[in-house]
Amino acid sequence: MVDIHLLTTSGNGPAECRVALKSLLSILEKEARGRGCEIEVTASQAPDQHGPVSAIVTLRGAGADSLAEDYCGSIRFIFKSKIRPGHKRQNWFVGVRRVELADTSNETTTIHMNDIRFETLRAGGPGGQHQNTTDSAVRAIHIPTGITVTCRDERSQHRNKALSVRRLQAMLRLLAERESLNAKTALFLANKELERGNEVKVFRL
């Protein structure tokens, strides 16, 4: 089953954009359950009380592709700021786009294994009886950042552990890139699209 990865970002927007992104992630989780697909959210860092700056959303299952198509683009949230009462602005923007995680299988990992905590768990979702009755899935937690990935693709716990390290490295690299100039550029382009009335979703909170 092919995973679909979405980069969701508030770019360099104010804290209200992180509030909007946090709400979007909750909306995506609810929609994913409604469409019968699995979802995993990997935040760029341990979020503060307002939410993460960016996150990678991993979707899998029959409804994953259509869900991704529905949400890719610029999304506008309309709400009054609770962070800055009296602030006149009510439109807050976040961006969503599909990304590919780089294949790091042929590279020397830059992650110190001592910085990763592994947990085993019962594999869920599609896969038949084997996945439902064995602890073959692996959760890898990058202790310095709090970033977590879960791998249940393989039947072997050992293979899932190796895959989780590669996926964690790819996510760390991608998120680091997007949180620099690339994230700002993505938000700038998203705002340009919004000026032309091309937002794919509008939510009122």
Side-chain angles (χ1 to χ4, degrees), residues 137-176:
V138 173
R139 179 183 292 122
I141 303 165
H142 188 240
I143 298 171
T145 62
I147 293 177
T148 302
V149 299
T150 302
C151 292
R152 53 172 60 88
D153 307 50
E154 303 288 343
R155 288 177 175 267
S156 161
Q157 184 182 118
H158 177 74
R159 291 181 180 178
N160 276 328
K161 184 176 181 179
L163 178 61
S164 70
V165 173
R166 294 199 302 271
R167 189 171 293 173
L168 184 59
Q169 180 186 6
M171 286 186 170
L172 284 167
R173 179 179 302 165
L174 177 62
L175 289 167

Side-chain angles (χ1 to χ4, degrees), residues 94-107:
V94 297
V96 180
R97 58 176 169 168
R98 288 179 71 151
V99 292
E100 296 295 332
L101 294 185
D103 181 5
T104 60
S105 57
N106 295 323
E107 299 180 12

Side-chain angles (χ1 to χ4, degrees), residues 69-76 93-96 189-202:
E69 288 296 321
D70 287 347
Y71 278 84
C72 280
S74 302
I75 298 179
R76 176 160 55 111
F93 308 116
V94 297
V96 180
L189 293 174
N191 284 331
K192 285 298 182 183
E193 291 176 359
L194 282 167
E195 289 173 7
R196 297 194 296 270
N198 288 336
E199 64 263 37
V200 296
K201 297 280 185 183
V202 178

Side-chain angles (χ1 to χ4, degrees), residues 16-85:
E16 289 85 355
C17 291
R18 301 204 304 277
V19 172
L21 180 57
K22 183 178 179 179
S23 296
L24 175 64
L25 295 175
S26 296
I27 291 169
L28 285 171
E29 288 178 345
K30 183 178 180 180
E31 281 230 27
R33 290 194 297 269
R35 300 192 190 198
C37 58
E38 297 178 49
I39 181 170
E40 292 173 10
V41 176
T42 305
S44 55
Q45 59 188 25
D48 62 15
Q49 69 270 28
H50 304 308
V53 174
S54 62
I56 291 176
V57 175
T58 301
L59 301 170
R60 66 177 65 90
D65 192 63
S66 62
L67 180 56
E69 288 296 321
D70 287 347
Y71 278 84
C72 280
S74 302
I75 298 179
R76 176 160 55 111
F77 281 81
I78 304 172
F79 61 89
K80 292 183 178 180
S81 174
K82 294 182 180 179
I83 300 170
R84 295 177 286 175

